[in-house]
Amino acid sequence: MLELITFALIIIAVGSIIYILKYKNKEKPKIGIKRNSSNEYFKDYVNMKLYLTSIFFILLGLIILITILILEIVPN
């Protein structure tokens, strides 16, 4: 059980670090804006995927921790 808790905390930490270093105090990345080159479209897409991945990591870690908490409380 300790390994799962550690894993969840690491996932939350990675997601938080990505979010804080790259997106804190900035607006959400936008896609679908008219760009001059396809390279700029790719950069927009990568930024959006990284943003969503950081949020997903934070939520996944929290869900794992809540699940562990529920599993520890219910059987007792």
Side-chain angles (χ1 to χ4, degrees):
M1 196 60 68
L2 184 61
E3 294 87 10
L4 282 175
I5 294 172
T6 306
F7 179 69
L9 291 175
I10 290 171
I11 289 175
I12 292 172
V14 168
S16 298
I17 288 170
I18 292 170
Y19 185 82
I20 289 170
L21 292 179
K22 190 124 173 120
Y23 301 109
K24 186 176 182 188
N25 296 328
K26 295 180 184 176
E27 64 181 23
K28 178 181 160 185
K30 296 180 177 154
I31 56 174
I33 300 171
K34 286 283 191 184
R35 301 292 184 181
N36 294 331
S37 69
S38 60
N39 190 27
E40 292 175 1
Y41 281 117
F42 181 71
K43 286 180 184 177
D44 289 343
Y45 177 73
V46 169
N47 280 333
M48 179 57 94
K49 290 299 257 186
L50 185 62
Y51 176 78
L52 293 175
T53 302
S54 67
I55 292 174
F56 174 74
F57 278 178
I58 295 169
L59 292 176
L60 180 66
L62 288 174
I63 290 170
I64 292 172
L65 286 177
I66 291 169
T67 304
I68 291 171
L69 179 68
I70 290 171
L71 289 175
E72 288 294 319
I73 291 175
V74 170
N76 294 332

